[in-house]
Amino acid sequence: MKLVKPKKHLGQHFLKDQDVALAIVDALALTDKYKNVLEIGPGMGVLTQYLLQNNNYQTHVIDIDTESVQYLREAYVDTGLKIIEGDFLKADFTQLLSLQEGEQFAVIGNFPYNISTQIIFKILENRPFVPEVVGMFQKEVAERYAAKHGSKVYGITSVLTQAYYNIEYLMTVDATLFDPPPKVQSAVIRLTRKEHLEVECNETMFYKVVKTAFNQRRKTLRNALKALGINYNNIDEVTLGKRAEQLSVAQFIDLTNTLEGNK
Ligand code: SAH
């Protein structure tokens, strides 16, 4: 029987380079920490085929596209692949893989770029389950996640994500390696969860401080933080003279703790 390939839908860009596909799968580094891997948006399975070659974990995939799911069901029959048809953003994270309570899994994927930020947010919210993520993003988005303080693209997403995960920029993937080629360049990053699941300060306050500081990123903190309406007289001059993009995640946490004490 000849397999019917799914029609390409808007927003679907299939990776065609096998070396890159294998390198992405090989980038999962903490395979002793979990027995399950979830691939988001497998499409026609370019990553899936390599995930299935690793016997250290069970591979699960979730795709919203009925035709892709149909294709995978036929192409990977009897391989042990667990296929979920659905929307990752709407799925109940804890029930997704029908795992035992407390079991962790890695997330991998050449993510649909229009929802990649929401995918990462959902993972951040569910971080106790996810020690590691390897994902392909639009290059600019990947750079923002991985950016260190001092970089022009270091911003709210960088800080809020790096509060919980260490992020490594692994490789740039040229648009010509996809079918159809997207208009943007792509890049792969790895997120490795930090030891502390919580930030060592009040989380709500932390979000507020980071957002307030970056909302006026050209201003010094002395001016930008006024919007918080909290006394910050006891914050040192050096810190107050800096702009948001010059502050490391640890410094944002310290700043939050000081401000919290001033309330
Ligand atoms: N990983 C494949 C396909 C990438 S295209 C490859 O590299 O070739 C992105 C895939 O994500 C598509 O198959 C699309 O159907 C799927 N997708 C889009 N939105 C989704 C969602 N909300 N939940 C799950 N999958 C989704």
Side-chain angles (χ1 to χ4, degrees):
M1 190 182 74
K2 195 173 175 306
L3 289 179
V4 183
K5 289 192 177 177
K7 285 197 277 307
K8 295 191 191 86
H9 297 277
L10 213 61
Q12 275 186 324
H13 298 280
F14 297 117
L15 179 65
K16 46 180 192 181
D17 189 295
Q18 299 298 320
D19 293 336
V20 172
L22 182 56
I24 294 173
V25 169
D26 278 348
L28 286 173
L30 303 178
T31 49
D32 55 331
K33 287 225 166 40
Y34 45 80
K35 294 196 177 66
N36 293 275
V37 173
L38 173 65
E39 184 189 352
I40 302 173
M44 283 168 61
V46 67
L47 301 182
T48 322
Q49 58 180 331
Y50 295 116
L51 288 167
L52 283 168
Q53 286 176 8
N54 191 318
N55 295 323
N56 293 326
Y57 47 74
Q58 163 72 47
T59 302
H60 308 246
V61 295
I62 181 167
D63 205 294
I64 200 170
D65 177 43
T66 310
E67 285 178 32
S68 294
V69 167
Q70 190 58 36
Y71 171 83
L72 292 169
R73 284 206 177 112
E74 290 171 17
Y76 291 94
V77 67
D78 294 333
T79 59
L81 177 66
K82 299 214 166 144
I83 304 175
I84 308 161
E85 180 174 350
D87 181 344
F88 173 74
L89 296 180
K90 294 204 180 122
D92 178 345
F93 213 91
T94 54
Q95 314 260 302
L96 204 54
L97 308 189
S98 323
L99 301 180
Q100 305 283 325
E101 214 181 301
E103 253 194 277
Q104 311 193 93
F105 57 92
V107 173
I108 194 166
N110 167 13
F111 296 141
Y113 294 169
N114 56 332
I115 58 162
S116 62
T117 314
Q118 287 152 279
I119 290 176
I120 293 299
F121 259 119
K122 183 155 180 161
I123 292 171
L124 291 182
E125 279 168 15
N126 290 284
R127 59 190 175 275
F129 298 99
V130 187
E132 177 170 50
V133 182
V134 172
M136 176 125 65
F137 297 79
Q138 180 177 334
K139 183 165 182 268
E140 287 75 15
V141 176
E143 283 171 343
R144 231 182 295 138
Y145 279 117
K148 295 275 175 288
H149 64 287
S151 151
K152 276 206 170 67
V153 294
Y154 180 70
I156 297 174
T157 21
S158 328
V159 179
L160 299 188
T161 312
Q162 289 171 29
Y164 307 109
Y165 287 87
N166 289 315
I167 302 182
E168 296 158 272
Y169 187 98
L170 300 181
M171 59 183 139
T172 306
V173 183
D174 198 79
T176 55
L177 302 181
F178 295 85
D179 180 27
K183 290 207 174 65
V184 294
Q185 292 288 82
S186 301
V188 180
I189 56 173
R190 174 168 51 215
L191 292 81
T192 311
R193 196 180 57 207
K194 291 188 170 174
E195 209 168 304
H196 294 281
L197 286 180
E198 304 299 332
V199 276
E200 292 172 301
C201 63
N202 178 310
E203 193 189 60
T204 315
M205 185 68 180
F206 176 66
Y207 280 34
K208 221 168 153 178
V209 170
V210 173
K211 284 181 183 162
T212 309
F214 278 105
N215 274 342
Q216 308 193 51
R217 61 183 295 150
R218 286 166 186 284
K219 289 197 179 171
T220 59
L221 295 175
R222 182 181 287 107
N223 291 317
L225 293 179
K226 277 183 189 149
L228 280 174
I230 301 171
N231 173 2
Y232 49 80
N233 288 340
N234 57 344
I235 294 171
D236 66 279
E237 283 299 310
V238 179
T239 305
L240 287 178
K242 286 185 173 171
R243 282 171 286 124
E245 68 187 45
Q246 295 173 290
L247 242 52
S248 69
V249 175
Q251 287 171 319
F252 266 114
I253 292 171
D254 286 347
L255 179 63
T256 305
N257 280 324
T258 311
L259 288 167
E260 188 69 12
N262 291 352
K263 275 206 292 195

